[in-house]
Amino acid sequence: VDRLARQSPARLALGVFAGVIAIFTALLSLPIATATGTRAPFVDALFTATSAVCVTGLVTQPTGTYWSTWGQVAILVAIKIGGLGVMTLASLLGLAVSRRIGLTQRLLVSSETKMTRLGEVGSLIRIVILTSTLFEVAIAVILIPRFHLLGESWSTSAWHGIFYAISAFNNAGFVPTAEGLAPYVSDWWILLPIVIGVFVGSLGFPVVLDVLRHARRPRRWNLHSKLTLTMSAALVVAGTALVAAFEWSNPRTFAPLDWPATILASLFAGVMPRSGGFSTVDVAGMHEGTWLLNDALMFVGGGSASTAGGIKVTTLAIMLLAILAEARGDPDVEAFGRRIPREALQVAIAVSLVSATIVLVASLALLAITGLALDEILFEVISAFATCGLSTGITAELPDEGKYVLVFLMFIGRTGTMTFAAALALRNRRRVIRLPEERPIIG
Amino acid sequence: VDRLARQSPARLALGVFAGVIAIFTALLSLPIATATGTRAPFVDALFTATSAVCVTGLVTQPTGTYWSTWGQVAILVAIKIGGLGVMTLASLLGLAVSRRIGLTQRLLVSSETKMTRLGEVGSLIRIVILTSTLFEVAIAVILIPRFHLLGESWSTSAWHGIFYAISAFNNAGFVPTAEGLAPYVSDWWILLPIVIGVFVGSLGFPVVLDVLRHARRPRRWNLHSKLTLTMSAALVVAGTALVAAFEWSNPRTFAPLDWPATILASLFAGVMPRSGGFSTVDVAGMHEGTWLLNDALMFVGGGSASTAGGIKVTTLAIMLLAILAEARGDPDVEAFGRRIPREALQVAIAVSLVSATIVLVASLALLAITGLALDEILFEVISAFATCGLSTGITAELPDEGKYVLVFLMFIGRTGTMTFAAALALRNRRRVIRLPEERPIIG
Ligand SMILES: [K+]
Ligand SMILES: [K+]
């Protein structure tokens, strides 16, 4: 795996994901997977399997009522496998990248421990499984008594608690009931653990492990952790404040809530575009401005090597730092006392522009296929590409071609940005002849 | 001027443009400026003056019917002054940049001629005025007989010919009649000179002069000219083909036309987002997909130091070349046998991300102010920022605050990108202490 990851990271990730999606499509195509016992249409089985494995959360059929308990368990397993797959594959690629480019900054083990490669990979996978399961258990343990207090049986409470815990920490956005989290819009006990789970999950494993290892000494966190945490926090604060401003007096969303509930709902809506994908108020009823804000936040997404999607917060951070360096007249892009290499800037441009192009082309395709307006299309396309899972409610109404476009977006959004950046970073960068320099006019 | 341009290019451009806009706002506020002889509201006078001086073409009142002949002449003079101002200022800044960064590639004179700086500036301005006026005369001479053949008096034909010639070459997008160019949708004689005028005008003076000087030897064109021409041609071809695909059978736009007229209309609609701003079919009737396509094309805009707006085609070209270099594993960004310096890439990121942020913030502001949908708002915001002037028809209906947002966008879009890039390029880039390098994970 390690060798394959270094030699052809793209093929590895694409193959693993395509295979796992095929298996779950087959499982969800069985008659026992639906509540009515009839075979689900291929497009719905494929869409749901892709959405679960790619931890997106967009659905063409309501998870809690259309699928049987058996089907819902399959979806939950797909989320867990997809989440673990993303975290381990991305961490492996990160390991390969950091080794190839000759940095001592490893993801897991410092070079002094002299572990073998196989041991290193095995220990990485073990640690990822252990840590993520611990986080999920912690969230479930908090949620289950609350569901029971609210009148559910212990077994239903346990099922809902476990489902939400796994769905939240893996940023999957699937909900086990038809109403989802809407009934708990003012319930801090339920929503706060979910918000924290989504936020921690969206940081990515390299950050979580680095922070856990140096929990008491933030100064020793590596540059990647510092950038990810700072940028994520800034986006949550900005998102929360702007959602509150746009929705405060909207009768279809926040207006009926008292002010503590409004603050909770704003915080919730501010964190979810990172790519949690849950919603406590009706997204369809939100202001156009909130939609556009969500478009921007979802496009940025979460941390690298996390279950979140998008171009990633470090990509945005590097571009912002480049602007800051330009404005100051600094020749180097710097942050937290470190210089960021020029190649990183080039990768950031490539990831951003390719992502923007994919969103543009997919939006044009969906506009051509459907008669829907740009606001809903753009929201859906970015949500699928960034594997966020928020929706204005058009997913189920799309024609089959439109659903296949979203399937492609979820798949490419999940596997593409991860492997693309790794593939770029693993490139051979030697060159004998340098051409004479000439500067075009810009802007 | 040369000294000021090098010392504080931003202040020079902002001051000149603000002053000229103030003068024309005053002129358009006179009662004789309107057809009815009543004083125009301040917001309309300011909006029209800004739109004319910034060669945008968005209007809150129809130019041909609301303003008197006197008012229309004032608008035409404002366009001519604004266009010349953009071309000379941008060329001066380009001159300052190319001198400061120590390149021999000058805009006008090769270093052998040893002209003094004052002489150089004077000769630049003379050549810009002469060349642009020659182009405008040529377009007018072609248009005037056609207008006369179509039944207009010689004096009206002359007025319309001159108005369209100046409006086209300066990429201004103003039309002297209520119907604009719609009656000539299938008239190659009228539309082809306008298309060519808009295209040449959108390339920018550095390119036009370079190409004229080495007309027979394209190999000797400089990198900037080659990049601008290639990228502009690619965008026109892509724009024309995609508009044709989206609108071919649209009953509100191309469906009533025969196929040669459809081709002409597609070509026209493919060139205008570069930032001509004319339209022969109703933009409001176009497909949502065409709107989104226009959004993307308008955002890119035209050539540097031209009357076109947007982030400029060279900025996009550099970012695409950076992706190509990444994909190939090249350490350098190269084009046409030349290496593009790393700093250019950093300026390109800065220009693009700042522009995208301005569009995002302005769209959020207009969504908050008005009750309009995202598609129309985004189109209007990008059109104003890129000084393109195409509109889905909401300009006149906006509340005054919304009109002021557009005024700000036109002003910042015109003066901002031009001076921002120059200011960045003129920065001092010396640094003694280099920090240790650390690479974050991207994507
Ligand atoms: K999600
Ligand atoms: K224009």
Side-chain angles (χ1 to χ4, degrees), chain A residues 271-291:
Chain A
V271 169
M272 288 310 137
R274 186 90 323 91
S275 79
F278 294 117
S279 51
T280 52
V281 296
D282 185 16
V283 176
M286 283 180 163
H287 193 279
E288 285 261 350
T290 313
W291 285 3

Side-chain angles (χ1 to χ4, degrees), chain A residues 78-102:
Chain A
I79 291 170
K80 180 76 181 161
I81 290 179
L84 283 177
V86 171
M87 290 186 278
T88 49
L89 271 177
S91 299
L92 279 178
L93 294 178
L95 208 64
V97 169
S98 64
R99 181 177 299 136
R100 177 72 158 270
I101 60 177

Side-chain angles (χ1 to χ4, degrees), chain A residues 242-251 253-255 285-288 290:
Chain A
L242 282 166
V243 169
F246 268 111
E247 300 296 330
W248 198 274
S249 55
N250 183 342
T253 57
F254 288 4
M286 283 180 163
H287 193 279
E288 285 261 350
T290 313

